[in-house]
Amino acid sequence: QVQLVESGGGLVQAGGSLRLSCAASGRTLSSGTRGWFRQAPGKDREFVASIGWSIGFPNYAASVKGRFTISRDTAKNTVYLQMNSLKPEDTAVYFCAARSAGSDKFDYWGQGTQVTVSA
């Protein structure tokens, strides 16, 4: 099993920045993909960003491209999401997820961390 624990959420004013972290423990995933998703009240969970664990190639949703940056520290088994120029519409619970190599879905999920952006 893989355990994912997010941290770094909070309340910030529009235009501000936050950095989310997701630390993995348990069975080590030395390959595959890590991702960030978010779910706003009354809405479906949506993809935010992902990164290949081995090569580190990032992928972003159009709504966050240019404002958010996903990165990983393989030594710490941690993935980060740097969020800049935050907007009220970025308010959501942010979830970290991990997908094993060869899997077509994200197998492991964190408990989520709240991000609230005030106008």
Side-chain angles (χ1 to χ4, degrees):
Q1 274 289 43
V2 176
Q3 290 80 42
L4 302 174
V5 178
E6 303 98 334
S7 60
L11 173 64
V12 65
Q13 288 187 332
S17 298
L18 281 175
R19 188 195 194 204
L20 304 183
S21 299
C22 174
S25 62
R27 185 171 69 88
T28 301
L29 293 175
S30 58
S31 57
T33 303
R34 302 282 179 90
W36 288 97
F37 293 75
R38 66 186 182 187
Q39 187 167 20
K43 294 188 177 182
D44 293 333
R45 186 155 53 187
E46 65 174 1
F47 168 79
V48 175
S50 65
I51 188 166
W53 194 248
S54 298
I55 298 176
F57 188 81
N59 188 31
Y60 298 97
S63 59
V64 306
K65 199 167 187 178
R67 300 187 298 123
F68 291 10
T69 302
I70 188 170
S71 62
R72 88 261 194 258
D73 185 330
T74 56
K76 295 182 178 179
N77 212 355
T78 298
V79 63
Y80 305 96
L81 186 68
Q82 178 67 42
M83 305 185 294
N84 298 329
S85 302
L86 282 162
K87 305 174 182 180
E89 51 264 44
D90 294 318
T91 295
V93 177
Y94 283 70
F95 297 90
C96 173
R99 183 173 67 198
S100 305
S103 175
D104 60 355
K105 64 180 179 68
F106 283 86
D107 309 287
Y108 306 99
W109 293 84
Q111 81 289 350
T113 185
Q114 177 70 47
V115 171
T116 303
V117 184
S118 62

